[in-house]
Tab-separated table of all heavy atoms in Angstrom:
chain	number	residue	atom	x	y	z
M	153	ASP	N	101.784	23.676	-34.441
M	153	ASP	CA	101.144	23.661	-33.155
M	153	ASP	C	102.109	23.909	-32.018
M	153	ASP	O	101.835	24.620	-31.012
M	153	ASP	CB	100.355	22.460	-32.878
M	153	ASP	CG	99.120	22.335	-33.812
M	153	ASP	OD1	98.678	23.369	-34.266
M	153	ASP	OD2	98.655	21.205	-34.022
M	154	GLU	N	103.320	23.352	-32.199
M	154	GLU	CA	104.343	23.420	-31.106
M	154	GLU	C	104.772	24.872	-30.984
M	154	GLU	O	104.881	25.380	-29.852
M	154	GLU	CB	105.521	22.542	-31.469
M	154	GLU	CG	106.619	22.559	-30.449
M	154	GLU	CD	107.768	21.697	-30.805
M	154	GLU	OE1	107.777	21.011	-31.851
M	154	GLU	OE2	108.761	21.662	-30.058
M	155	GLU	N	104.980	25.570	-32.104
M	155	GLU	CA	105.406	27.004	-32.034
M	155	GLU	C	104.286	27.832	-31.482
M	155	GLU	O	104.495	28.818	-30.657
M	155	GLU	CB	105.746	27.469	-33.436
M	155	GLU	CG	106.275	28.904	-33.441
M	155	GLU	CD	106.649	29.377	-34.834
M	155	GLU	OE1	106.341	28.670	-35.839
M	155	GLU	OE2	107.217	30.496	-34.919
M	156	LEU	N	103.020	27.501	-31.818
M	156	LEU	CA	101.855	28.214	-31.327
M	156	LEU	C	101.735	28.071	-29.847
M	156	LEU	O	101.525	29.071	-29.114
M	156	LEU	CB	100.568	27.726	-31.996
M	156	LEU	CG	99.251	28.270	-31.446
M	156	LEU	CD1	99.224	29.792	-31.720
M	156	LEU	CD2	98.054	27.546	-32.067
M	157	ASN	N	101.914	26.905	-29.346
M	157	ASN	CA	101.799	26.668	-27.911
M	157	ASN	C	102.919	27.413	-27.126
M	157	ASN	O	102.636	27.960	-26.025
M	157	ASN	CB	101.915	25.120	-27.553
M	157	ASN	CG	100.723	24.402	-28.090
M	157	ASN	OD1	99.650	24.906	-28.238
M	157	ASN	ND2	100.884	23.105	-28.316
M	158	THR	N	104.088	27.470	-27.734
M	158	THR	CA	105.202	28.210	-27.067
M	158	THR	C	104.862	29.700	-26.925
M	158	THR	O	105.018	30.313	-25.873
M	158	THR	CB	106.457	28.053	-27.866
M	158	THR	OG1	106.802	26.628	-27.896
M	158	THR	CG2	107.628	28.771	-27.175
M	159	VAL	N	104.400	30.258	-28.064
M	159	VAL	CA	104.060	31.748	-28.030
M	159	VAL	C	102.897	31.978	-27.085
M	159	VAL	O	102.916	32.966	-26.325
M	159	VAL	CB	103.678	32.198	-29.453
M	159	VAL	CG1	103.169	33.614	-29.459
M	159	VAL	CG2	104.872	32.033	-30.423
M	160	MET	N	101.835	31.157	-27.134
M	160	MET	CA	100.721	31.435	-26.312
M	160	MET	C	101.024	31.239	-24.863
M	160	MET	O	100.389	31.981	-24.014
M	160	MET	CB	99.540	30.518	-26.701
M	160	MET	CG	98.888	30.876	-28.020
M	160	MET	SD	98.254	32.545	-27.977
M	160	MET	CE	97.506	32.705	-29.610
M	161	GLU	N	101.892	30.411	-24.509
M	161	GLU	CA	102.279	30.211	-23.121
M	161	GLU	C	102.962	31.477	-22.625
M	161	GLU	O	102.728	31.906	-21.441
M	161	GLU	CB	103.285	29.053	-23.030
M	161	GLU	CG	103.528	28.653	-21.591
M	161	GLU	CD	102.391	28.111	-20.823
M	161	GLU	OE1	101.464	27.556	-21.514
M	161	GLU	OE2	102.326	28.309	-19.573
M	162	GLU	N	103.768	32.162	-23.503
M	162	GLU	CA	104.432	33.372	-23.060
M	162	GLU	C	103.433	34.519	-22.910
M	162	GLU	O	103.614	35.421	-22.126
M	162	GLU	CB	105.438	33.728	-24.098
M	162	GLU	CG	106.627	32.738	-24.193
M	162	GLU	CD	107.603	33.120	-25.314
M	162	GLU	OE1	107.584	34.283	-25.712
M	162	GLU	OE2	108.371	32.259	-25.788
M	163	LEU	N	102.320	34.498	-23.731
M	163	LEU	CA	101.368	35.588	-23.713
M	163	LEU	C	100.168	35.330	-22.718
M	163	LEU	O	99.333	36.170	-22.580
M	163	LEU	CB	100.775	35.805	-25.108
M	163	LEU	CG	101.779	36.241	-26.199
M	163	LEU	CD1	101.099	36.304	-27.525
M	163	LEU	CD2	102.341	37.641	-25.858
M	164	LYS	N	100.186	34.093	-22.204
M	164	LYS	CA	98.971	33.638	-21.440
M	164	LYS	C	98.525	34.637	-20.359
M	164	LYS	O	97.376	34.788	-20.095
M	164	LYS	CB	99.267	32.319	-20.852
M	164	LYS	CG	98.061	31.682	-20.140
M	164	LYS	CD	98.357	30.168	-19.844
M	164	LYS	CE	99.581	30.026	-18.999
M	164	LYS	NZ	99.764	28.556	-18.650
M	165	ALA	N	99.478	35.386	-19.783
M	165	ALA	CA	99.123	36.215	-18.646
M	165	ALA	C	98.308	37.451	-19.099
M	165	ALA	O	97.620	37.994	-18.216
M	165	ALA	CB	100.414	36.720	-17.960
M	166	CYS	N	98.374	37.791	-20.389
M	166	CYS	CA	97.658	39.002	-20.778
M	166	CYS	C	96.927	38.910	-22.108
M	166	CYS	O	96.217	39.929	-22.440
M	166	CYS	CB	98.698	40.193	-20.841
M	166	CYS	SG	99.956	40.005	-22.018
M	167	TYR	N	96.981	37.893	-22.850
M	167	TYR	CA	96.246	37.914	-24.124
M	167	TYR	C	94.720	37.601	-23.929
M	167	TYR	O	94.377	37.017	-22.922
M	167	TYR	CB	96.867	36.910	-25.134
M	167	TYR	CG	96.396	35.456	-24.968
M	167	TYR	CD1	95.238	35.013	-25.652
M	167	TYR	CD2	97.114	34.527	-24.211
M	167	TYR	CE1	94.829	33.711	-25.579
M	167	TYR	CE2	96.661	33.210	-24.054
M	167	TYR	CZ	95.551	32.783	-24.733
M	167	TYR	OH	95.154	31.533	-24.633
M	168	SER	N	93.904	38.066	-24.839
M	168	SER	CA	92.496	37.859	-24.772
M	168	SER	C	91.920	37.664	-26.157
M	168	SER	O	92.462	38.148	-27.167
M	168	SER	CB	91.875	39.088	-24.106
M	168	SER	OG	92.008	40.187	-24.928
M	169	ALA	N	90.791	36.954	-26.197
M	169	ALA	CA	90.011	36.806	-27.415
M	169	ALA	C	90.818	36.289	-28.599
M	169	ALA	O	90.765	36.754	-29.685
M	169	ALA	CB	89.287	38.100	-27.829
M	170	ALA	N	91.722	35.278	-28.335
M	170	ALA	CA	92.553	34.724	-29.392
M	170	ALA	C	91.632	33.931	-30.372
M	170	ALA	O	90.807	33.089	-29.932
M	170	ALA	CB	93.646	33.880	-28.861
M	171	ALA	N	91.812	34.081	-31.637
M	171	ALA	CA	91.047	33.344	-32.623
M	171	ALA	C	92.094	32.649	-33.594
M	171	ALA	O	92.995	33.316	-34.105
M	171	ALA	CB	90.144	34.266	-33.439
M	172	LEU	N	91.937	31.367	-33.717
M	172	LEU	CA	92.874	30.588	-34.535
M	172	LEU	C	92.263	30.146	-35.850
M	172	LEU	O	91.091	29.757	-35.897
M	172	LEU	CB	93.403	29.373	-33.773
M	172	LEU	CG	93.941	29.649	-32.373
M	172	LEU	CD1	94.382	28.291	-31.744
M	172	LEU	CD2	95.033	30.689	-32.359
M	173	GLN	N	92.988	30.192	-36.922
M	173	GLN	CA	92.497	29.771	-38.190
M	173	GLN	C	93.580	29.077	-39.014
M	173	GLN	O	94.638	29.626	-39.185
M	173	GLN	CB	91.930	30.943	-39.008
M	173	GLN	CG	91.380	30.535	-40.360
M	173	GLN	CD	90.876	31.739	-41.155
M	173	GLN	OE1	90.832	32.835	-40.602
M	173	GLN	NE2	90.550	31.538	-42.416
M	174	SER	N	93.400	27.776	-39.360
M	174	SER	CA	94.437	27.029	-40.125
M	174	SER	C	94.508	27.483	-41.536
M	174	SER	O	93.497	27.781	-42.196
M	174	SER	CB	94.061	25.538	-40.048
M	174	SER	OG	94.072	25.084	-38.744
M	175	GLU	N	95.737	27.623	-42.053
M	175	GLU	CA	96.008	27.888	-43.400
M	175	GLU	C	96.995	26.904	-43.967
M	175	GLU	O	97.701	26.247	-43.230
M	175	GLU	CB	96.523	29.330	-43.581
M	175	GLU	CG	95.524	30.415	-43.034
M	175	GLU	CD	96.093	31.788	-43.157
M	175	GLU	OE1	97.302	31.891	-43.332
M	175	GLU	OE2	95.295	32.731	-43.068
M	176	ASN	N	97.177	26.864	-45.267
M	176	ASN	CA	98.094	25.939	-45.869
M	176	ASN	C	99.513	26.187	-45.489
M	176	ASN	O	100.291	25.257	-45.319
M	176	ASN	CB	97.976	26.019	-47.451
M	176	ASN	CG	96.680	25.520	-47.966
M	176	ASN	OD1	96.008	24.678	-47.308
M	176	ASN	ND2	96.251	25.997	-49.093
M	177	SER	N	99.787	27.496	-45.257
M	177	SER	CA	101.166	27.821	-44.845
M	177	SER	C	101.430	27.846	-43.420
M	177	SER	O	102.524	28.162	-42.959
M	177	SER	CB	101.507	29.274	-45.457
M	177	SER	OG	100.564	30.171	-44.942
M	178	GLY	N	100.369	27.503	-42.590
M	178	GLY	CA	100.564	27.485	-41.170
M	178	GLY	C	99.325	27.830	-40.433
M	178	GLY	O	98.183	27.577	-40.934
M	179	ILE	N	99.387	28.368	-39.240
M	179	ILE	CA	98.253	28.713	-38.396
M	179	ILE	C	98.207	30.222	-38.209
M	179	ILE	O	99.148	30.865	-37.739
M	179	ILE	CB	98.324	28.008	-37.057
M	179	ILE	CG1	98.466	26.493	-37.228
M	179	ILE	CG2	97.133	28.383	-36.185
M	179	ILE	CD1	98.696	25.775	-35.886
M	180	HIS	N	97.111	30.800	-38.627
M	180	HIS	CA	96.900	32.292	-38.494
M	180	HIS	C	96.313	32.558	-37.159
M	180	HIS	O	95.289	32.008	-36.734
M	180	HIS	CB	95.957	32.820	-39.589
M	180	HIS	CG	95.815	34.273	-39.593
M	180	HIS	ND1	96.759	35.153	-40.075
M	180	HIS	CD2	94.786	35.025	-39.105
M	180	HIS	CE1	96.346	36.371	-39.908
M	180	HIS	NE2	95.118	36.312	-39.349
M	181	VAL	N	96.880	33.480	-36.394
M	181	VAL	CA	96.500	33.863	-35.070
M	181	VAL	C	96.037	35.331	-35.037
M	181	VAL	O	96.769	36.135	-35.616
M	181	VAL	CB	97.593	33.601	-34.070
M	181	VAL	CG1	97.134	33.990	-32.645
M	181	VAL	CG2	98.134	32.228	-34.129
M	182	SER	N	94.873	35.596	-34.459
M	182	SER	CA	94.429	36.919	-34.404
M	182	SER	C	93.843	37.162	-32.950
M	182	SER	O	93.094	36.330	-32.430
M	182	SER	CB	93.300	37.217	-35.387
M	182	SER	OG	92.728	38.507	-35.154
M	183	PHE	N	94.251	38.262	-32.337
M	183	PHE	CA	93.723	38.556	-30.987
M	183	PHE	C	93.803	40.030	-30.735
M	183	PHE	O	94.409	40.784	-31.506
M	183	PHE	CB	94.443	37.798	-29.858
M	183	PHE	CG	95.906	38.152	-29.773
M	183	PHE	CD1	96.351	39.155	-28.914
M	183	PHE	CD2	96.849	37.440	-30.504
M	183	PHE	CE1	97.687	39.431	-28.798
M	183	PHE	CE2	98.169	37.678	-30.376
M	183	PHE	CZ	98.608	38.679	-29.501
């Protein structure tokens, strides 16, 4: 979650429709 928050903070100005899905190996992000 910490890595996810860091990345999303950097993209916050322009990302849209982010969809998160937890997996055994981590968190899958699609937008």
Side-chain angles (χ1 to χ4, degrees):
D153 289 338
E154 182 179 356
E155 184 180 9
L156 173 63
N157 291 336
T158 300
V159 173
M160 287 304 184
E161 189 65 29
E162 294 177 19
L163 297 175
K164 186 166 58 176
C166 60
Y167 83 88
S168 63
L172 310 181
Q173 180 181 350
S174 297
E175 299 178 345
N176 292 334
S177 59
I179 302 173
H180 183 77
V181 182
S182 174
F183 61 91

